[in-house]
Amino acid sequence: MPEKTFERTLVTSALPYANGYIHLGHIAGAYLPADIFVRYKRQKGEKVLYVGGSDEHGVPVTLTALREGITPKEVIDRYHTANAEAFKRLGISYDIYGRTSWPLHADTTQAFFTRLNDTGYIHEDEMELWYSEHLERFLPDRYVSGTCPKCGYTGANGDECESCGAQYSPHDLVSPRANIPGDDSSPVLRKSKHWFLDLPKFKDRLKAYLDSHPEWRANVRGIAYGWVEDLRSRCITRDTDWGVTIPLDDPEAEGKRIYVWFDAPIGYVTNTRQWGLDVKGDDAAWEPWWKDEATRLIHFIGKDNVPFHAIIFPAVLAGQDGFVLADNVVGNEYLNIFNRKTGKEEKGSKSKGNMISVKWMLEHFAPDIIRYYLCANAPESRDAAFDWDDLLKRYNGEICDVVGNFIHRSLTMTVKNFDGQVPEAGNLDEEDRALLDYLPTQIDAIGGALEDFRFRLALERVIDLGRRANVYFDARQPWVTRKTDLARTGSTLYACCQVVHALCHVLAPFTPDAARTLSAILGIHLPEGGPDGGVDGWNAGKNLLSPGAPLRKPTVLFPKLDKDRIAELAEAHQRGEAF
RNA sequence: GGCGGUGUAGCUCAGUUGGUUAGAGCAGUGGAAUCAUAAUCCACGUGUCCGCGGUUCGAGUCCGUGCACCGCUACCA
């Protein structure tokens, strides 16, 4: 199969649900990897657009509003604003961060729905659902609890028992109770008409689609293949008043809305449309990003999201007119939390109080620190755990001591001994050349890992570059030759400056603040890139600084973390103050 | 129960299409160095590659099977 060539890359990160604050698990899974990838692509000068936004519909938002005595709109405004701010401060560099509550989104969603309906991919059916006569509203299964018909567990959900794992029809649940704010009445089953997406009709196309992507991660492929073998029609409407209205003339459609999971991924399209209007002033600017075969669409998600991005949304897109399907769905595992008291990893949960919000983290750490640790410890192929000691050890021991210190010792010595300029290369011997030859090789190795979505490995290779450079520095002993052979010292530091220059480029996707500071010290320009592309500022890292180029006095790029301070924060975290 | 992922050194991980004595970092021990953010460098590894069985001249890698952990199981978003 010939390698497909693409002209532009459209990257999405899962839309976080605007019913809570984003936490570190979200970042490590769906946002930071996407941002690193996007920054890398931009730096290469490729055309890349990064789209995200808040997912703002669905019943849980209405229940939060009910609980707090405010409107759903107030709920989503609060979380949308806070999350957009957290992303921005962390340097998650969206080209647009949209909202599914935008009127434009109703238009996109309805167009998708109508097209599927007109082409026979949507059918009606009647369902029996729990209904609270007390609140005069339908209740999703998760908001009805009762006694499990199999094991007698009293905290069972409407259709599933958490205790024994049994699944059953709502009819079988014993003593059902509503489980939402202000209502613990006994719900009754009531019939309601709904609309279903006919997934089985897409089976062959989905199968062929999955077959054409053997390069996807094992976890994503495994989950997707599990689904495609057993596709069922899926209900895409709900009994609620909070969501996109159903574009049908049926009176039964009133009081119902399109299911949040149907409209959320469509938000990627809406937000691309809005980006075109805002940035290009062109209501057709979005189309190439979704309809040109030469567009490479990539979704970054957590593993819980795989069925929606590898099966359901591709089906929805396949049912449209000429939309591209994702070329890759990058699904991460989960970031757990290491509990220092018990010595065990546990799932982050609000009730345990062990979550760490991005907002709290940013109050205590520079974005580069958070980005470094979450990438170095990303849950790419298995669950990982956030651990304070590990954060301290890895950030201090790797990026500070190995990379940061190499940069600092090189630049300090150069500035002091060579009048603030890159020294003359002089007579380079085999050892110098070996180091200089290694640079483009390693830059390619880092870029290759990024192209393969292996962000941990890519970052490790950055650190390896620092390690290799420290070995060189120690072997050449410029602090000794300085007193005996200034030309030799110049050659050594010339080579070291080239390493620093390469590091500046390869650090940029991971730790953009440090890279920016370093580029100013080196007097170089790291191109921003963007949707229109630009010059290749990634491979420019392979170029060499010219002798005589001025250098500014270096500053510490990665200040070390204080052990006692980390211990204090870990304590605060343990007390549940980190969310 | 069904399905999927993961399992390599004390810890975190890398191991391309099967190919010599299975690697790196961290931690530990000893040493060197003093340019640098007390940062660096060198030396030191008897690992049931989770177990069992199979294919093969050859298996960490492929196949089967069992175990452990994690997740999903369609109305959680």
Side-chain angles (χ1 to χ4, degrees):
Chain A
M1 197 169 18
E3 186 83 357
K4 201 171 170 187
T5 56
F6 295 99
E7 281 175 25
R8 66 184 79 72
T9 306
L10 175 60
V11 175
T12 74
S13 282
L15 306 187
Y17 198 49
N19 191 38
Y21 297 108
I22 50 166
H23 54 75
L24 294 187
H26 291 126
I27 297 299
Y31 304 105
L32 182 59
D35 184 66
I36 290 168
F37 185 74
V38 163
R39 285 175 181 271
Y40 163 70
K41 286 291 192 183
R42 285 188 192 129
Q43 199 176 333
K44 279 185 83 177
E46 296 183 21
K47 295 176 181 173
V48 53
L49 185 67
Y50 182 24
V51 171
S54 294
D55 174 15
E56 307 187 306
H57 290 136
V59 173
V61 166
T62 66
L63 295 180
T64 298
L66 198 61
R67 185 183 311 116
E68 299 188 14
I70 57 178
T71 65
K73 169 75 173 150
E74 288 172 303
V75 173
I76 63 171
D77 283 352
R78 175 204 301 160
Y79 292 113
H80 170 78
T81 306
N83 290 340
E85 174 70 13
F87 281 131
K88 192 177 176 189
R89 287 177 57 199
L90 192 59
I92 305 297
S93 57
Y94 293 113
D95 288 291
I96 182 167
Y97 190 74
R99 314 185 63 168
T100 59
S101 60
W102 280 341
L104 187 67
H105 181 61
D107 181 71
T108 317
T109 304
Q110 289 171 346
F112 271 64
F113 185 99
T114 300
R115 166 90 189 185
L116 290 166
N117 194 44
D118 290 349
T119 48
Y121 290 112
I122 288 177
H123 62 83
E124 303 172 353
D125 206 350
E126 205 157 62
M127 302 174 80
E128 272 202 308
L129 300 165
W130 294 111
Y131 182 81
S132 164
E133 293 172 319
H134 175 64
L135 288 181
E136 297 182 334
R137 65 184 291 167
F138 282 92
L139 303 170
D141 284 323
R142 65 183 289 211
Y143 294 112
V144 176
S145 58
T147 304
C148 172
K150 297 223 170 100
C151 74
Y153 176 65
T154 53
N157 270 336
D159 63 341
E160 183 184 33
C161 173
E162 275 184 20
S163 179
C164 71
Q167 287 173 69
Y168 34 81
S169 112
H171 280 287
D172 299 329
L173 185 69
V174 180
S175 13
R177 286 275 162 205
N179 184 21
I180 66 173
D183 184 7
D184 62 352
S185 64
S186 299
V188 297
L189 285 168
R190 183 180 281 201
K191 288 191 170 158
S192 181
K193 181 167 157 185
H194 278 285
W195 285 265
F196 290 72
L197 177 64
D198 198 338
L199 285 174
K201 282 189 178 164
F202 291 100
K203 179 168 180 173
D204 291 343
R205 262 188 281 178
L206 287 173
K207 207 156 186 282
Y209 171 57
L210 295 181
D211 287 344
S212 72
H213 287 294
E215 78 282 10
W216 290 8
R217 282 189 189 165
N219 57 352
V220 174
R221 281 168 59 76
I223 295 171
Y225 270 108
W227 271 64
V228 85
E229 290 306 328
D230 182 28
L231 289 170
R232 304 168 214 171
S233 281
R234 192 177 170 96
C235 183
I236 55 169
T237 53
R238 288 291 184 276
D239 291 282
T240 178
D241 61 359
W242 186 244
V244 176
T245 55
I246 303 167
L248 292 173
D249 259 345
D250 191 324
E252 296 233 39
E254 287 171 26
K256 296 173 187 178
R257 294 292 183 271
I258 290 174
Y259 179 36
V260 60
W261 258 118
F262 181 82
D263 85 81
I266 294 172
Y268 302 141
V269 180
T270 299
N271 297 342
T272 311
R273 290 176 72 190
Q274 189 65 49
W275 167 82
L277 291 167
D278 293 349
V279 176
K280 300 286 179 184
D282 177 0
D283 63 7
W286 69 279
E287 292 199 26
W289 292 96
W290 283 95
K291 296 186 171 183
D292 186 339
E293 277 295 315
T295 293
R296 187 184 189 204
L297 172 63
I298 300 173
H299 299 304
F300 284 83
I301 55 172
K303 62 180 161 185
D304 51 335
N305 234 323
V306 170
F308 296 96
H309 288 80
I311 297 291
I312 299 174
F313 190 48
V316 169
L317 288 173
Q320 304 302 310
D321 182 21
F323 276 69
V324 298
L325 305 190
D327 184 60
N328 209 319
V329 178
V330 185
N332 279 297
E333 305 285 313
Y334 289 142
L335 183 72
N336 295 319
I337 307 287
F338 182 78
N339 185 324
R340 308 172 101 207
K341 223 173 232 169
T342 63
K344 285 181 183 161
E345 292 180 14
E346 50 193 38
K347 231 181 134 172
S349 84
K350 280 186 189 169
S351 54
K352 274 186 195 151
N354 62 356
M355 305 270 266
I356 302 174
S357 75
V358 177
K359 184 175 176 293
W360 184 85
M361 202 67 182
L362 281 164
E363 285 164 13
H364 302 283
F365 297 96
D368 279 351
I369 300 172
I370 303 170
R371 293 174 65 105
Y372 180 78
Y373 180 60
L374 292 185
C375 180
N377 191 32
E380 280 176 15
S381 58
R382 71 183 85 166
D383 288 354
F386 180 92
D387 173 1
W388 288 103
D389 291 331
D390 194 44
L391 163 66
L392 179 74
K393 202 165 67 179
R394 300 201 64 169
Y395 175 78
N396 278 359
E398 294 171 358
I399 197 80
C400 299
D401 292 351
V402 176
V403 173
N405 185 52
F406 172 77
I407 292 170
H408 200 248
R409 71 200 298 211
S410 297
L411 292 179
T412 303
M413 200 157 193
T414 303
V415 167
K416 272 188 195 164
N417 293 287
F418 292 88
D419 200 24
Q421 295 178 359
V422 177
E424 293 293 332
N427 295 318
L428 299 175
D429 64 19
E430 209 168 299
E431 204 174 338
D432 305 318
R433 292 188 191 286
L435 179 70
L436 293 174
D437 290 345
Y438 161 79
L439 295 178
T441 309
Q442 190 69 357
I443 288 172
D444 285 341
I446 295 161
L450 291 173
E451 297 281 357
D452 291 340
F453 309 108
R454 300 190 57 181
F455 303 99
R456 280 178 81 123
L457 182 62
L459 189 47
E460 200 179 313
R461 286 175 174 169
V462 174
I463 304 300
D464 281 340
L465 176 48
R467 287 204 178 92
R468 168 80 173 76
N470 276 316
V471 171
Y472 170 85
F473 195 102
D474 274 52
R476 306 258 71 174
Q477 299 185 303
W479 63 92
V480 173
T481 61
R482 178 182 55 139
K483 297 164 192 162
T484 57
D485 186 350
L486 204 58
R488 175 61 258 170
T489 311
S491 296
T492 300
L493 292 175
Y494 168 84
C496 289
C497 284
Q498 306 308 343
V499 175
V500 172
H501 177 249
L503 279 170
C504 181
H505 286 78
V506 297
L507 281 171
F510 303 96
T511 56
D513 291 343
R516 197 175 306 116
T517 303
L518 182 54
S519 70
I521 291 166
L522 298 177
I524 62 168
H525 175 66
L526 290 175
E528 300 276 310
D532 297 323
V535 299
D536 186 346
W538 176 263
N539 286 301
K542 300 173 184 172
N543 298 338
L544 299 177
L545 291 171
S546 303
L551 301 170
R552 285 197 203 155
K553 194 164 181 284
T555 54
V556 171
L557 297 175
F558 301 102
K560 293 194 71 157
L561 290 172
D562 179 66
K563 195 178 171 184
D564 295 336
R565 205 171 130 255
I566 293 294
E568 281 168 27
L569 292 169
E571 287 295 320
H573 173 214
Q574 197 120 54
R575 291 193 299 268
E577 294 167 10
F579 196 75

